Amino acid sequence: MISAGAGELFQLLRDGRPRTRAELVNETGLARTSVVNRLAALTAVGLVTPTGTSASSGGRPAARLVFDRTSRVCIGIDLGATHGSVGVMDLSGEVLREESRVLDIADGPAQILTWALDTAERLLRATGRKKRQLLGIGVGVPGPVEHSTGRPIRPPIMPGWDGFDIPSFVQQRLEAPVLVDNDVNLLALGERATRWPAVSDLLFIKVATGIGAGIILGGALQRGARGSAGDIGHVQVPGVADDRDLEAMASAPAIAAQLGRDGATVATGDVIDRIRTGDPTAIAAAREAGRVIGKVTAACVSILNPSVVVIGGQLGVNVQEIIAGVREVVYQRSIPLATQHLNIVPAEGGATAGIRGAGLMVLSERLSASAVDDLIAQTV
Amino acid sequence: MISAGAGELFQLLRDGRPRTRAELVNETGLARTSVVNRLAALTAVGLVTPTGTSASSGGRPAARLVFDRTSRVCIGIDLGATHGSVGVMDLSGEVLREESRVLDIADGPAQILTWALDTAERLLRATGRKKRQLLGIGVGVPGPVEHSTGRPIRPPIMPGWDGFDIPSFVQQRLEAPVLVDNDVNLLALGERATRWPAVSDLLFIKVATGIGAGIILGGALQRGARGSAGDIGHVQVPGVADDRDLEAMASAPAIAAQLGRDGATVATGDVIDRIRTGDPTAIAAAREAGRVIGKVTAACVSILNPSVVVIGGQLGVNVQEIIAGVREVVYQRSIPLATQHLNIVPAEGGATAGIRGAGLMVLSERLSASAVDDLIAQTV
């Protein structure tokens, strides 16, 4: 195929710097015909576009080409237990439009995804883009997902979603590749891109209705063999004689249950409200939950040796006793080599981090060298 | 630089298939002059060599070039608490010569490394190679290492080694880059290359005088931010009210201490002997140690989601009660998504796995595209 290798050339151009054909020949050692053919293929699918000419020292000025970040868009859908966010991003990952609402994930996939798709189509229209410009759709859900098929696998807090084929449902409305992942993995990607771009080893811990972690090691999101990496909610707590796992001991419903309420019906918001209004019992329970999360975090620090641990999720962000408890235990328990340069910080990405992470997942998979080659093969 | 990009072209040739210049032009889209220059640079440093000619359909047969695996060698040194192995490997990682002995790591770096270097020089002579053909030296030690400097950092079972500059000491005798890592990381690399080449997510657990893990995720060895990833020996055991960490509860000295001996002076071999001769107290202690290791392994399985867990180390390989205890707890504790396709197997690489892993570390770092470009820049 004449345009083979176009995807690889495109990786160079993703830095956004305009280049002439001659500059690309020099930079890569490629034959001029290779450069010309590959740029033609990239231009045909809209990923590259001419942008003025170079200042030349003589003769006819040469045309320069540049990555066109505006040629396509992707959609990020971030679903939590009690909230949902939808965003439209360009190919640089910049969020063009976004919208969030309170929801109940237990309403089931048809109702929740229909809202998300209605919103996505409306935001897409608002940006003036067409459905055919969609590069892909990323979806984050609050539970374990088989990433290869996009199906939730026995998600504990998502009744009605077990085994549901999210990609097929979405593709009935929007024709584009659909990638699904655990929401915590996407939060890790989003938080890293926003605040820690130079960090290769980052652990994101979400503390909310459930507890889970997203793991970035060696610069890449690590999903493990079946996509369940980071499932710290099912880890038994170190150093404590208790059969329950972390989620049963320190999640928002677990704290609510300790506060003498009916765990099944108390929302995370109620727990946060009681802590904010200064209820000493609630504050003590949150601090103790933080310590329990700290014991599992200390194990993760020994096992993974991250340089940054981000504490996120509704409870993790809004209740300072949680991160205080985590810090107390981790710095007390872990060996100096693992903690000397370790930052434990609250998440700052807010509602946008999840949709930004969903978009980054789409861009990283759909703009890889081989994916761009595929895109060209399908289009040309 | 005229040969820039040679390292990248070399990555293609590492598959061992001979190619003509014309075939490389077609395969890469590079300009013919780029291919010719890059091959000349690779030939000059000996990494590529002519190998006969292609069967041509007419005209003069074209010369073919191939990766020369014999042009250089690397040395792998694997040091445990009570044993040492040294091997010479070619550039494909094949072990040409190796030698092992019993030793005591507490004899300190000067004595131990002097033995290792004497052995390395002797094996090198036996293979008929020169010192100047050395691509690099890989060293594995039984404790935490700062990989970037090659210095052990507060290693608990290596008295006299804390902060010792292993690369400088080695380079007084052998002039080549020296890479140092935890022995368990190298065992993980060696075991994977030998038995699980298609597996991307593998956890290697060494159970001996110490307990540690090597983590391969996303196809790559993960060292974490400071090189201490896999330090499961310092993890508190989940679900047990005990302040001690895993190593204090389930290593060979810990088992020996339970058997009524003085933990400081009992060797791993004595523990193994008592189990082999059918001592029921020793067998029960080993099974219980296996369960304790299983509790930490279950946490690792939830956090990392590997598809293979390899149990190695003197105790892990030789005492079947250890792996039996690990399997019992992991399959009982972990969620189905993480264990449905999980293999828990004993290590099979033997003494060679460590030196093979040390060699693979050298090859992976010293034959990367950028390292080969550097090699050329230094040589030409």
Side-chain angles (χ1 to χ4, degrees):
Chain A
M1 186 173 52
I2 200 148
S3 59
E8 213 180 302
L9 186 66
F10 174 65
Q11 302 310 314
L12 266 185
L13 289 156
R14 277 184 77 178
D15 67 8
R17 191 159 66 81
R19 293 166 172 89
T20 66
R21 291 178 180 80
E23 282 166 356
L24 283 167
V25 166
N26 281 340
E27 197 170 339
T28 61
L30 288 168
R32 189 173 168 86
T33 50
S34 303
V35 169
V36 169
N37 288 336
R38 291 173 194 191
L39 287 173
L42 292 169
T43 308
V45 296
L47 291 176
V48 160
T49 189
T51 174
T53 53
S54 70
S56 174
S57 57
R60 197 165 62 109
R64 297 196 306 173
L65 291 112
V66 70
F67 173 29
D68 185 358
R69 299 170 177 198
T70 67
S71 61
R72 292 176 186 240
V73 287
C74 57
I75 287 171
I77 298 172
D78 173 37
L79 302 174
T82 57
H83 79 275
S85 302
V86 179
V88 177
M89 282 150 280
D90 70 11
L91 296 187
S92 70
E94 195 191 331
V95 179
L96 306 174
R97 300 269 170 159
E98 62 177 301
E99 199 173 302
S100 295
R101 58 163 278 194
V102 169
L103 54 73
D104 183 354
I105 197 77
D107 286 344
Q111 190 175 331
I112 298 292
L113 289 174
T114 297
W115 163 76
L117 292 169
D118 288 346
T119 308
E121 291 189 351
R122 186 158 33 76
L123 295 179
L124 201 57
R125 278 193 302 274
T127 63
R129 310 306 174 90
K130 306 292 178 205
K131 284 188 184 180
R132 62 177 161 71
Q133 288 180 287
L134 260 182
L135 183 74
I137 299 154
V139 183
V141 296
V145 175
E146 191 173 61
H147 183 65
S148 56
T149 61
R151 294 171 187 265
I153 308 285
R154 301 198 193 176
I157 59 169
M158 298 172 68
W161 291 76
D162 185 20
F164 187 82
D165 186 346
I166 296 175
S168 294
F169 188 91
V170 170
Q171 284 167 336
Q172 287 170 17
R173 297 265 300 267
L174 294 172
E175 268 187 69
V178 177
L179 303 166
V180 188
D181 205 341
N182 191 295
D183 61 345
V184 192
N185 284 346
L186 304 183
L187 288 168
L189 283 177
E191 194 77 15
R192 176 180 174 238
T194 313
R195 289 192 59 209
W196 307 96
V199 164
S200 298
D201 305 282
L202 177 147
L203 178 67
F204 186 103
I205 297 180
K206 179 183 171 183
V207 186
T209 310
I211 300 179
I215 298 170
I216 292 173
L217 279 184
L221 181 68
Q222 302 295 344
R223 296 189 171 91
R226 303 275 291 174
S228 75
D231 181 20
I232 61 170
H234 283 100
V235 170
Q236 269 189 306
V237 179
V240 180
D242 197 311
D243 268 352
R244 293 175 300 165
D245 60 28
L246 176 61
E247 206 159 275
M249 289 181 73
S251 63
I255 297 173
Q258 284 174 47
L259 297 182
R261 301 192 177 193
D262 172 8
T265 58
V266 172
T268 309
D270 294 341
V271 175
I272 295 172
D273 285 346
R274 281 189 61 176
I275 293 165
R276 282 201 171 146
T277 53
D279 176 340
T281 316
I283 289 171
R287 179 78 187 210
E288 185 51 27
R291 289 194 195 99
V292 168
I293 296 165
K295 285 172 188 281
V296 173
T297 307
C300 289
V301 165
S302 291
I303 294 167
L304 305 170
N305 185 211
S307 58
V308 175
V309 173
V310 182
I311 307 294
Q314 266 200 78
L315 219 59
V317 169
N318 294 306
V319 178
Q320 64 190 23
E321 282 76 13
I322 297 286
I323 194 168
V326 170
R327 284 179 170 144
E328 173 190 328
V329 174
V330 171
Y331 288 120
Q332 175 199 322
R333 280 286 325 158
S334 304
I335 63 166
L337 180 61
T339 55
Q340 193 184 1
H341 300 270
L342 176 68
N343 285 305
I344 302 177
V345 298
E348 289 189 358
T352 309
I355 54 178
R356 187 186 289 270
L360 289 172
M361 168 175 68
V362 170
L363 296 178
S364 115
E365 300 201 13
R366 295 277 297 147
L367 293 184
S368 71
S370 62
V372 167
D373 285 342
D374 289 348
L375 188 69
I376 289 169
Q378 288 156 20
T379 312
V380 181
Chain B
M1 186 173 51
I2 200 148
S3 59
E8 212 181 304
L9 186 65
F10 174 65
Q11 302 309 314
L12 265 184
L13 289 156
R14 276 184 78 179
D15 67 8
R17 191 159 66 81
R19 293 167 172 88
T20 65
R21 291 177 179 83
E23 282 166 355
L24 284 166
V25 166
N26 281 339
E27 198 170 338
T28 61
L30 287 168
R32 188 172 169 88
T33 50
S34 303
V35 169
V36 169
N37 289 336
R38 292 174 192 188
L39 287 174
L42 292 170
T43 308
V45 294
L47 291 177
V48 160
T49 191
T51 174
T53 52
S54 70
S56 174
S57 57
R60 196 164 64 108
R64 296 196 305 171
L65 291 114
V66 71
F67 173 29
D68 185 359
R69 299 169 177 199
T70 67
S71 61
R72 291 175 185 240
V73 287
C74 57
I75 286 171
I77 298 172
D78 173 38
L79 302 173
T82 58
H83 80 275
S85 302
V86 180
V88 177
M89 282 150 280
D90 71 11
L91 296 187
S92 70
E94 195 191 332
V95 179
L96 306 173
R97 300 267 170 161
E98 62 177 300
E99 199 173 301
S100 295
R101 59 163 278 196
V102 169
L103 55 73
D104 183 354
I105 197 79
D107 286 344
Q111 189 175 331
I112 297 292
L113 289 174
T114 297
W115 164 76
L117 292 169
D118 288 346
T119 307
E121 291 189 351
R122 186 158 36 74
L123 296 179
L124 201 57
R125 279 194 299 275
T127 63
R129 310 306 176 88
K130 306 293 178 205
K131 284 187 184 180
R132 62 176 162 73
Q133 288 180 288
L134 262 182
L135 183 74
I137 298 155
V139 183
V141 297
V145 175
E146 190 174 61
H147 183 64
S148 57
T149 62
R151 294 171 188 264
I153 307 285
R154 303 198 192 175
I157 59 170
M158 298 173 68
W161 290 75
D162 186 20
F164 188 81
D165 185 346
I166 296 176
S168 294
F169 188 91
V170 170
Q171 285 167 336
Q172 286 171 17
R173 296 265 301 267
L174 294 172
E175 267 186 69
V178 177
L179 303 166
V180 188
D181 205 342
N182 191 294
D183 62 345
V184 192
N185 284 346
L186 303 183
L187 288 168
L189 284 176
E191 194 78 14
R192 176 180 173 236
T194 314
R195 290 192 59 208
W196 307 96
V199 164
S200 298
D201 305 283
L202 177 147
L203 177 68
F204 186 103
I205 297 180
K206 178 182 170 181
V207 186
T209 310
I211 300 179
I215 298 171
I216 292 173
L217 279 185
L221 181 67
Q222 301 295 345
R223 296 189 171 91
R226 303 275 291 173
S228 75
D231 181 22
I232 61 170
H234 284 99
V235 169
Q236 269 189 306
V237 179
V240 179
D242 198 312
D243 266 351
R244 294 175 299 164
D245 59 28
L246 176 61
E247 206 159 273
M249 288 182 73
S251 63
I255 297 174
Q258 284 174 47
L259 298 182
R261 301 189 178 194
D262 172 8
T265 59
V266 172
T268 309
D270 294 340
V271 175
I272 294 173
D273 285 346
R274 281 188 62 176
I275 292 164
R276 281 201 173 146
T277 53
D279 176 339
T281 316
I283 290 172
R287 178 78 187 209
E288 185 51 27
R291 289 194 195 99
V292 168
I293 296 165
K295 285 171 188 281
V296 173
T297 307
C300 290
V301 165
S302 292
I303 294 166
L304 305 170
N305 185 211
S307 58
V308 175
V309 173
V310 182
I311 307 294
Q314 266 201 77
L315 219 60
V317 169
N318 294 306
V319 177
Q320 64 190 22
E321 281 76 14
I322 297 287
I323 194 169
V326 171
R327 283 179 170 143
E328 173 190 329
V329 173
V330 171
Y331 287 120
Q332 176 199 321
R333 280 287 323 160
S334 305
I335 63 165
L337 180 61
T339 56
Q340 193 185 0
H341 300 270
L342 176 67
N343 285 306
I344 303 177
V345 298
E348 290 190 358
T352 309
I355 54 178
R356 187 186 288 271
L360 289 172
M361 168 175 67
V362 171
L363 296 179
S364 114
E365 300 201 13
R366 296 276 298 145
L367 293 183
S368 71
S370 62
V372 167
D373 284 343
D374 290 347
L375 188 69
I376 289 169
Q378 288 156 19
T379 312
V380 180

